[in-house]
Amino acid sequence: MKITQISSSKIKDIDFENLDFGRIFTDHMFVCHFRNGKWETPEIKPYQALTIEPSASVLHYGQAVFEGMKAFKDSQNKVWLFRPEENFKRINLSSKRLQIPEFPEAHFFKGLEKLLALDQEWIKPGEGNSLYIRPFVFASQPSVQASAAGEYIFMIICAPVKAYYSGGEISVLIAEEYSRAASGGVGFAKAAGNYAAQFYPTSEALKKGFQQIIWTDANNHEYLEEAGTMNIFFKINGILVTSPTNDRILDGITRKSIIKIAKKEGILVEERPIKVSEIKEAHESGALEEVFGTGTAVVVLPINSFSHQEKTFTLPKGTPLANKLKTILMGIQYKTLDDPFQWTRSID
Ligand code: COI
């Protein structure tokens, strides 16, 4: 791998206490081109603008997928990744669905290790601080033919972050009109277009005071599926319930980690279809104790109210289960607790 280091770091200009999520990027980036039917030798170079042609296929047809992962620093300043092999598997699963050539495992992990070693000063120790890592791949071939491109660029960029939402909890709107994904589509993939398609309905929801939409099934808007940047969990009568993953729902790494942690803590977990009517009724009867979202960016995020058909359902104050699961997850990530599942991987 060719490595070109920056001559002078931007780090001294960064206010690490006031980070707007995903706006500041570290000194270096990882780049690898796919040309002539193969991935070329990857490169790490100073973070900089790209030059692509206006006809680059991604700009026209959105052939692009991405991942979100995080690196953490423990109290000894050692850098740890959380379940990176899951992100690697998932980006290739997403790529396959978008007809993008799969990326070699050795390039991915070597690239990550070298990039994090170079930019490790950007990872601040202490719970709440992390480095958000964004691997992504897009069709770079100059072509407006509506078919899979012959050239791609795979990149990794990194952003030092704190919380995704500063308030610590959000209120959500349950979708009745728009849909995020349909069966047979690309909902399970981290396809760039899945996110773009949410921006309009989400901005309409924001105007009404909601931070995210909980998407429902595209057929009848009857079943709860996932929120824009997170999977969702409901605690009903002491049982933790979440929708099963399928081809419409992202197989969240935080989601499956939370399920494992909850089960180990002796909490009953059900992965089953959940009707909107079920949670409204559970709210009515007092059985709905907590609602929270999970995701790499948000970690575990309590939801304080949901709205459906112009009616708002306010949840009880305090989310002890969400807090407990988050504390355990973060303890594993920051190495303050044991890692019984062997989820963390150090960068040496
Ligand atoms: C993540 O949690 O990594 C996500 O995919 C959310 C991102 C769109 C900000």
Side-chain angles (χ1 to χ4, degrees):
M1 184 173 355
K2 185 179 165 202
I3 299 179
T4 313
Q5 286 187 234
I6 40 116
S7 45
S8 138
S9 176
K10 317 173 279 209
I11 200 166
K12 53 194 176 306
D13 304 324
I14 310 300
D15 177 1
F16 280 87
E17 284 314 305
N18 296 296
L19 293 167
D20 201 5
F21 189 98
R23 300 274 184 154
I24 304 282
F25 296 91
T26 63
D27 287 326
H28 298 92
M29 64 187 197
F30 170 90
V31 192
C32 187
H33 286 262
F34 182 92
R35 282 186 281 235
N36 302 314
K38 65 174 181 35
W39 289 104
E40 298 179 349
T41 306
E43 211 183 320
I44 288 180
K45 50 170 135 177
Y47 180 93
Q48 60 193 268
L50 296 173
T51 305
I52 54 169
E53 293 200 24
S55 56
S57 187
V58 67
L59 301 177
H60 305 272
Y61 305 118
Q63 197 189 2
V65 301
F66 71 94
E67 267 305 316
M69 52 200 293
K70 276 181 176 167
F72 306 89
K73 223 173 217 176
D74 69 15
S75 56
Q76 264 81 58
N77 277 335
K78 202 171 156 100
V79 176
W80 297 87
L81 285 166
F82 182 72
R83 309 188 76 178
E85 60 292 340
E86 294 291 331
N87 298 93
F88 174 71
K89 272 194 261 166
R90 197 171 58 185
I91 199 163
N92 275 342
L93 205 71
S94 300
S95 288
K96 189 166 178 214
R97 179 61 180 83
L98 273 284
Q99 190 58 25
I100 295 171
E102 290 180 24
F103 196 62
E105 185 167 3
H107 283 359
F108 182 79
F109 284 100
K110 264 267 146 332
L112 261 183
E113 275 166 33
K114 293 256 183 262
L115 190 58
L116 293 183
L118 281 174
D119 285 344
Q120 58 181 294
E121 280 309 308
W122 290 79
I123 314 173
K124 299 295 167 195
E127 285 204 359
N129 297 316
S130 63
L131 190 72
Y132 185 74
I133 304 168
R134 172 54 64 90
F136 61 106
V137 52
F138 61 93
S140 53
Q141 186 176 29
S143 166
V144 295
Q145 278 183 13
S147 56
E151 291 177 10
Y152 297 87
I153 304 179
F154 189 107
M155 301 190 65
I156 307 176
I157 55 174
C158 302
V161 295
K162 282 184 168 289
Y164 192 73
Y165 289 108
S166 51
E169 53 184 42
I170 60 168
S171 53
V172 296
L173 179 68
I174 295 180
E176 291 169 63
E177 183 185 355
Y178 299 104
S179 299
R180 174 186 175 276
S183 297
V186 297
F188 71 91
K190 276 188 97 71
N194 282 345
Y195 294 78
Q198 298 184 58
F199 295 162
Y200 172 71
T202 304
S203 70
E204 291 297 295
L206 273 173
K207 284 184 205 155
K208 297 183 189 156
F210 305 104
Q211 283 77 42
Q212 282 204 28
I213 293 177
I214 296 188
W215 298 103
T216 46
D217 69 281
N219 293 336
N220 302 313
H221 298 292
E222 199 179 344
Y223 289 93
L224 294 152
E225 298 207 320
E226 68 166 286
T229 65
M230 51 193 203
N231 297 106
I232 39 165
F233 285 83
F234 303 88
K235 186 179 173 219
I236 306 170
N237 271 333
I239 300 173
L240 196 54
V241 189
T242 191
S243 315
T245 52
N246 54 36
D247 66 356
R248 301 183 303 276
I249 298 180
L250 189 83
D251 184 12
I253 297 161
T254 313
R255 174 190 178 277
K256 56 187 169 202
S257 305
I258 286 295
I259 292 173
K260 277 246 157 86
I261 293 171
K263 286 183 175 168
K264 187 159 187 292
E265 290 300 302
I267 294 148
L268 277 178
V269 182
E270 289 177 3
E271 289 177 71
R272 59 165 176 82
I274 312 157
K275 279 191 170 176
V276 179
S277 58
E278 177 184 348
I279 62 154
K280 285 165 74 174
E281 281 158 28
H283 180 272
E284 223 55 53
S285 71
L288 182 63
E289 297 163 61
E290 293 184 34
V291 183
F292 60 89
T294 63
T296 299
V298 299
V299 194
V300 174
L301 184 68
I303 289 171
N304 53 31
S305 75
F306 62 89
S307 257
H308 186 243
Q309 293 173 341
E310 307 290 323
K311 196 168 168 206
T312 296
F313 301 80
T314 303
L315 290 149
K317 285 236 169 304
T319 48
L321 179 60
N323 298 351
K324 177 179 176 169
L325 297 172
K326 182 177 181 181
T327 301
I328 297 173
L329 177 67
M330 289 179 68
I332 294 173
Q333 292 174 329
Y334 289 88
K335 308 300 286 180
T336 54
L337 291 178
D338 284 343
D339 175 12
F341 308 103
Q342 296 182 321
W343 282 337
T344 49
R345 176 161 164 175
S346 70
I347 296 291
D348 300 305

